[in-house]
Amino acid sequence: MAEHQGQRGAVDPGLSRRDFLAMLAATGPMLAARGRAEGAFGDRPMGAVIQIVMTGGASQLETFDPKPDAPSAIRGPFDSIATSIPGVRICEHLPNVAKRLDRMTVVRGLTLPSASPIHEVGLQMIHTGRLSLLDDPIAPHFGSAASALLGGRGGMPAFVMTGGAFEVAWSRLSTGQGAGFLGDRHAPETGSSAELSARLGLPSRLSGDEADYGDHEFGRSCLLARRLVEQGSRVVTVNMASSVHDEMSWDAHGSKPFSNFDALRRGTLPAFDQGFSALIDDLDARGLLATTLVIAVGEFGRGPVINPRGGRDHWPRAWSGLLAGGPAEAGAVWGATDSSAGEVVDRPTSPTKLVELAYRTLGIDPEMSIAAPDGRAFRLLDATNRRA
């Protein structure tokens, strides 16, 4: 039984894929029905997506867009290192990622310049490609849309989320992690890596040749993600944390209950470096990387100036992420920021673009519309928010 967040405005929780496709067919010519289950990504079979959520909002300066020549109040406490892309440097605490960066796209131009600097807004955008306000139909995660449009395969659920849904106790806004108005049937299967492995009949431990993932929950979740897409799941979301309070997260405000730079150095950065790098190697070695898009991104970036508490605060104006596999270009850099990593100065990119790539990898046309509960045409992606 899938665990899920309650979704306001949901349709019948028993909505099946057949019912959903019938609903599509009945909505009239204004709805595009391209990219259904029969679709394909180019001349390749439909692929899968692994979404790594750098929960809490990873600092661009402490990850993929360091500014080594900036003053210390901007630069922060970490050095930068060279990577396998000539001239591109990233944080010193990501040495394994640095060696493999020529197999990835570095996205340095992510931006939501007019957005509120709150977790829910950024999370909605990276999960759904849209913003759902309190009076709107709740948009589905792209994994839930894949569940409704494509269904599962190989006996595996179409959409799985490890680490549990991110909880925001102080807000009524959706975080975009559930099925929204598609209903409970298309909510993700959720739980810890051990719980999900037991429930789905998959190995729960690392074997000897899988030790590179690391014996921590993030590494085990990355390994489970590989196992799931290999067995047939279409979308796997790996949440690095289910809360930003007293957990290993990227929400480094500098004081309790949030993380600080030392926590990033000791825990979050090395865990990400190990688990993410092993995932890319493993997918590549098994021939899965060509059809599996891996997205690593948080919901926003961090302020360009260190705050009085010794951390950085929420900053949706500029942040960074990584893409690998599927349609991602190897050894590319999207966008650039100014000397403080606070403003995007080249190729501003909405998180909607990442969701568009996910849909295309899955063989779903991101231009198509579906019927919302009130009968209106609901476009999978908000075209006004998309920038390449």
Side-chain angles (χ1 to χ4, degrees):
M1 182 71 178
E3 301 170 12
H4 54 85
Q5 288 186 305
Q7 298 289 334
R8 184 179 47 77
V11 295
D12 177 6
L15 185 70
S16 68
R17 178 169 169 264
R18 177 181 296 176
D19 294 335
F20 181 79
L21 292 175
M23 181 177 72
L24 274 177
T27 52
M30 65 178 176
L31 303 186
R34 303 182 301 274
R36 295 189 187 173
E38 299 83 7
F41 177 68
D43 58 356
R44 290 178 287 169
M46 290 182 292
V49 178
I50 297 175
Q51 179 191 39
I52 308 294
V53 182
M54 302 173 79
T55 316
S59 166
Q60 63 277 21
L61 288 143
E62 275 71 52
T63 55
F64 315 125
D65 193 12
K67 300 296 180 180
D69 298 325
S72 60
I74 294 171
R75 183 179 68 246
F78 303 149
D79 289 332
S80 66
I81 55 174
T83 71
S84 53
I85 301 178
V88 175
R89 303 179 72 84
I90 64 173
C91 177
E92 64 173 321
H93 299 300
L94 297 171
N96 291 304
V97 172
K99 295 174 184 176
R100 295 159 175 80
L101 209 64
D102 59 349
R103 285 187 271 167
M104 306 175 196
T105 295
V106 186
V107 185
R108 284 181 167 173
L110 286 166
T111 183
L112 287 173
S114 61
S116 299
I118 58 175
H119 295 284
E120 303 90 304
V121 169
L123 288 167
Q124 284 187 32
M125 292 299 294
I126 66 172
H127 293 317
T128 74
R130 302 180 60 98
L131 180 60
S132 300
L133 301 177
L134 288 174
D135 295 329
D136 295 335
I138 300 298
H141 189 291
F142 65 82
S144 291
S147 173
L149 287 164
L150 305 174
R153 55 186 173 183
M156 290 290 109
F159 180 24
V160 179
M161 179 178 292
T162 78
F166 179 72
E167 298 178 1
V168 183
W170 55 87
S171 172
R172 292 172 52 218
L173 281 176
S174 167
T175 56
Q177 297 173 98
F181 65 75
L182 293 180
D184 295 350
R185 178 184 289 271
H186 301 296
E189 191 85 21
T190 68
S192 68
S193 61
E195 291 167 344
L196 286 165
S197 296
R199 195 183 309 155
L200 300 174
L202 296 171
S204 60
R205 295 184 178 276
L206 285 72
S207 63
D209 60 347
E210 294 162 340
D212 287 346
Y213 278 95
D215 193 15
H216 41 70
E217 180 59 16
F218 178 67
R220 290 188 290 272
S221 293
C222 286
L223 172 59
L224 176 60
R226 187 273 289 166
R227 287 170 172 163
L228 285 165
V229 299
E230 190 172 41
Q231 294 299 315
S233 289
R234 299 186 187 274
V235 176
V236 182
T237 291
V238 176
N239 283 329
M240 287 195 71
S242 59
S243 169
V244 295
H245 290 174
D246 298 312
E247 279 197 45
M248 185 180 76
S249 85
W250 297 91
D251 205 18
H253 290 284
S255 59
K256 290 289 187 180
F258 305 103
S259 296
N260 56 29
F261 290 130
D262 190 52
L264 294 182
R265 177 185 61 81
R266 290 184 293 103
T268 314
L269 281 160
F272 177 86
D273 186 54
Q274 184 176 30
F276 182 79
S277 299
L279 175 63
I280 300 304
D281 286 350
D282 201 0
L283 290 169
D284 204 4
R286 293 169 181 269
L288 295 170
L289 194 59
T291 54
T292 303
L293 174 65
V294 184
I295 304 171
V297 68
E299 61 267 40
F300 42 56
R302 314 301 295 189
V305 177
I306 295 174
N307 66 30
R309 300 180 301 281
R312 300 187 193 270
D313 298 322
H314 301 176
W315 192 260
R317 299 187 67 85
W319 78 103
S320 303
L322 295 177
L323 303 174
E329 183 181 358
V333 179
W334 283 8
T337 57
D338 62 12
S339 59
S340 68
E343 300 288 340
V344 176
V345 296
D346 180 58
R347 198 175 181 180
T349 302
S350 167
T352 298
K353 183 64 177 178
L354 307 186
V355 180
E356 178 185 0
L357 286 175
Y359 276 127
R360 293 195 184 281
T361 302
L362 293 163
I364 295 171
D365 185 349
E367 302 294 337
M368 72 181 296
S369 296
I370 56 180
D374 60 5
R376 288 182 298 168
F378 190 92
R379 201 165 188 166
L380 286 180
L381 290 184
D382 183 354
T384 63
N385 276 325
R386 208 171 345 160
R387 299 175 76 177

